[in-house]
Amino acid sequence: MSSTERRSPSPDRRSLLRGTVAASAALALPVSAAAPALALSGRPRAAWGVQTGDVTCSSALVWVRADRPARMAVEVSATESFRRSRRCHGPLLGPGTDFTGTVPLRGLPAGEQIHYRVTLADPHDPRRTGEPVYGTFRTAPAHRRAGVRFLWSGDIAGQGWGINPDIGGFRAFAEMRGLDPDFFLCSGDTVYADGVIEPSVTLPDGRVWRNVTTEEKSRVAQTLADFRGNFRYNLLDANVRRFNAQVPTVVQWDDHEVRNNWYPGQILDDPRYTEKNVNVLAGRSLRAFSEYFPVSTLPVRGRRKGRMHRVVRYGPLLDVFVLDMRSYRNANSPGRQTSDRDGILGAEQLAWLKRELSRSRAVWKAIAADMPLGLVVPDGPADIEAVAQGDPGAPLGRELQIAELLRFIRRRRITGTFWLTADVHYTAAQHYAPERAAFKDFAPFWEFVSGPLAAGGFPANALDGTFGPERVFVHAPTRANVSPMEAPQHFGEVAVDGGSGELTVRLRAEGGTVLFSTTLQPGRVGQ
């Protein structure tokens, strides 16, 4: 097993994060978990921490949330001392964006550790500023010799398993931070807007799981305020805030940001919802999502429509193609259609993906999918939620669109593609090969599954043979909704060696265990 070794965080880097939250507390909640009150006295505070997103060789987005109306500013420096810094003026944070704001940073040096601090000022008296909040990140390298290493997972605060102070909150975030990755790919289900967090849950062995609770998590999300409260909930955890201050994110969404298994145009028959039009719910969720995550293709101020799919170019070794398998899909069905223009990506997104894959000159091309390709994910007794529908024969339904994409990759001889996903709440490595498949016009490729990061674990899903998947490795519980106190959470690691260009994937379990590892060679059409 080959690997790409990276340095641990230096003492200076750890001390830099002193301005985020107290590192000695396993769980330290912001002073106010509710929406900011306009009559608060004192100076503006940023108790919800900072985060960065969509970092490239020369740019990044910096996010913060204030506890009242405030003017945001970001100082950027190559050193922790901030003796020579550049100041970027940001927006006025107010109720229109739930007191959140994002500042784009441009003209950054490639392959460098960047230090930043966010300051909030009273909009009526700029001299009245709060304590600065510190963060750091690495820009993508301009040269391949530096190597790249990142983590991925998904599924956070699901199935009623929220922030448990008895076990130290969302512990996997602390473990991931200790690995000091270049960035983190969050593969969807960043929140469970349709999932209630109860104060306590009794486990099968009699132990009691205790949750931090909020008003917004006591019901399914329907209003904009409900969705905002769901995205705010994870930031109550100190592990998450410390992680955000050190590790940039590339984030995508799936169904639970809105409602389980939703698709555009769906009319709900769920009695918990008074708003039955899922398009209305999705619009509110997308606005809250754009307020709480720094995403380069979403509007900074939430005032115009954006899109989730994008390419994050992380230097010459890696491009990350972030898909949206939710917003453009057709209705869930048994998936037996013999023609399917929209599929799971939509015609426009598929054309975009083909175009961007053709243009990519990166050695490796990570296709970040919020749902797996070859696993059968049901939606009720007859319909299918993902791509595979259980028929191992020729492509049908949404498989037709994936077959078109795989054929395009082979015929254009696009090298270095591999798929990353989450969604199914266990971890696995699956290899796809035409000699095992009903559809044969594609080059072999790997799909790696991880998760959950802070949610219930579930048994492994069935495989569909249309694209010839082989389950090389799987680690999953034997019963449904196993709590994080009963089974470890999962995340994956991808390391690209700067010298050889080899890509090593490790599937990890919380607690430091590497469950599986494989190394792929660069420059091959399929492997």
Side-chain angles (χ1 to χ4, degrees), residues 503-516:
L503 180 143
T504 298
V505 178
R506 301 180 183 90
L507 302 180
R508 290 180 170 271
E510 179 189 1
T513 303
V514 175
L515 300 169
F516 171 83

Side-chain angles (χ1 to χ4, degrees), residues 196-261:
V196 172
I197 299 290
E198 301 286 355
S200 64
V201 182
T202 301
L203 304 182
D205 61 8
R207 289 181 295 170
V208 176
W209 174 283
R210 289 197 310 119
N211 282 313
V212 171
T213 60
T214 66
E215 179 184 353
E216 293 89 353
K217 291 301 299 177
S218 67
R219 56 184 177 268
V220 297
Q222 299 189 75
T223 67
L224 177 59
D226 289 339
F227 284 107
R228 285 168 166 171
N230 271 262
F231 289 109
R232 197 161 53 240
Y233 179 81
N234 295 346
L235 298 175
L236 293 172
D237 185 87
N239 297 316
V240 173
R241 298 196 303 274
R242 287 195 291 268
F243 180 83
N244 287 346
Q246 179 176 321
V247 181
T249 59
V250 175
V251 65
Q252 61 192 134
W253 77 342
D254 192 30
D255 56 337
H256 289 287
E257 283 81 3
V258 180
R259 193 253 186 192
N260 186 44
N261 296 354

Side-chain angles (χ1 to χ4, degrees), residues 435-455:
E435 60 268 21
R436 296 189 296 264
F439 173 78
K440 298 183 179 299
D441 194 5
F442 70 97
F445 66 95
W446 283 86
E447 178 183 48
F448 301 99
V449 184
S450 192
L453 196 56

Side-chain angles (χ1 to χ4, degrees), residues 130-282:
E131 289 293 322
V133 185
Y134 293 81
T136 186
F137 61 91
R138 283 188 290 273
T139 51
H143 304 286
R144 59 177 289 170
R145 63 180 177 270
V148 177
R149 188 166 59 84
F150 69 95
L151 307 178
W152 95 94
S153 189
D155 315 305
I156 303 169
Q159 291 75 48
W161 312 115
I163 301 168
N164 185 344
D166 297 338
I167 65 171
F170 292 155
R171 298 175 301 188
F173 281 90
E175 187 170 321
M176 292 194 301
R177 184 174 68 94
L179 292 172
D180 191 30
D182 291 311
F183 65 90
F184 171 60
L185 168 63
C186 191
S187 302
D189 291 344
T190 58
V191 300
Y192 278 70
D194 57 337
V196 172
I197 299 290
E198 301 286 355
S200 64
V201 182
T202 301
L203 304 182
D205 61 8
R207 289 181 295 170
V208 176
W209 174 283
R210 289 197 310 119
N211 282 313
V212 171
T213 60
T214 66
E215 179 184 353
E216 293 89 353
K217 291 301 299 177
S218 67
R219 56 184 177 268
V220 297
Q222 299 189 75
T223 67
L224 177 59
D226 289 339
F227 284 107
R228 285 168 166 171
N230 271 262
F231 289 109
R232 197 161 53 240
Y233 179 81
N234 295 346
L235 298 175
L236 293 172
D237 185 87
N239 297 316
V240 173
R241 298 196 303 274
R242 287 195 291 268
F243 180 83
N244 287 346
Q246 179 176 321
V247 181
T249 59
V250 175
V251 65
Q252 61 192 134
W253 77 342
D254 192 30
D255 56 337
H256 289 287
E257 283 81 3
V258 180
R259 193 253 186 192
N260 186 44
N261 296 354
W262 74 274
Y263 52 83
Q266 185 180 23
I267 302 300
L268 303 179
D269 59 2
D270 188 331
R272 300 177 301 168
Y273 289 84
T274 55
E275 176 55 70
K276 303 296 185 181
N277 187 338
V278 80
N279 286 3
V280 173
L281 298 174

Side-chain angles (χ1 to χ4, degrees), residues 443-505:
F445 66 95
W446 283 86
E447 178 183 48
F448 301 99
V449 184
S450 192
L453 196 56
F458 283 78
N461 295 59
L463 281 174
D464 182 309
T466 296
F467 301 117
E470 177 187 13
R471 186 173 279 146
V472 179
F473 175 81
V474 64
H475 187 257
T478 57
R479 62 178 175 84
N481 198 16
V482 174
S483 79
M485 282 177 65
E486 302 168 271
Q489 304 292 275
H490 298 122
F491 59 91
E493 177 185 17
V494 178
V496 185
D497 185 82
S500 67
E502 291 180 338
L503 180 143
T504 298
V505 178

